[in-house]
Amino acid sequence: MTLIPYEPGKLDDLALRVLDLAASLREMATKCRENDVPSADLHDKKALEWLSRLEEWTQKSSAELEVRIIGHRGAKRARQPSKSQVS
């Protein structure tokens, strides 16, 4: 797999795609309720598998980002003069 840099805007775009999917599913649920349709028959095996993988990927990516943030903060502090050097 190739690592691709995602700036905040690209992360937002990805999040909005996921929200669009969630909104579509919520709309389906609303249509069922409004039209007294007791259920929607779906082939969900693959979708549930993909969601599980997406959840795992998101958790892993979030943890990796936290490590990167900590490293970035440490490097930033290392570049700043310490209080004892300023005095």
Side-chain angles (χ1 to χ4, degrees), residues 51-69:
L51 283 172
S52 178
R53 288 183 180 179
L54 183 59
E55 288 167 342
E56 290 172 13
W57 174 79
T58 302
Q59 291 169 355
K60 182 179 181 233
S61 298
S62 180
E64 290 170 354
L65 177 60
E66 287 301 317
V67 169
R68 185 170 182 166
I69 288 169

Side-chain angles (χ1 to χ4, degrees), residues 12-36:
D12 284 337
D13 290 344
L14 183 59
L16 290 173
R17 286 183 69 187
V18 173
L19 284 174
D20 287 345
L21 292 172
S24 293
L25 292 169
R26 295 294 307 267
E27 183 179 356
M28 290 169 60
T30 299
K31 286 180 179 180
C32 284
R33 286 186 197 95
E34 289 174 348
N35 294 288
D36 295 320

Side-chain angles (χ1 to χ4, degrees), residues 38-53:
S39 65
D41 297 333
L42 304 172
H43 295 283
D44 70 346
K45 185 176 180 180
K46 282 289 184 187
L48 294 174
E49 180 183 325
W50 294 335
L51 283 172
S52 178
R53 288 183 180 179

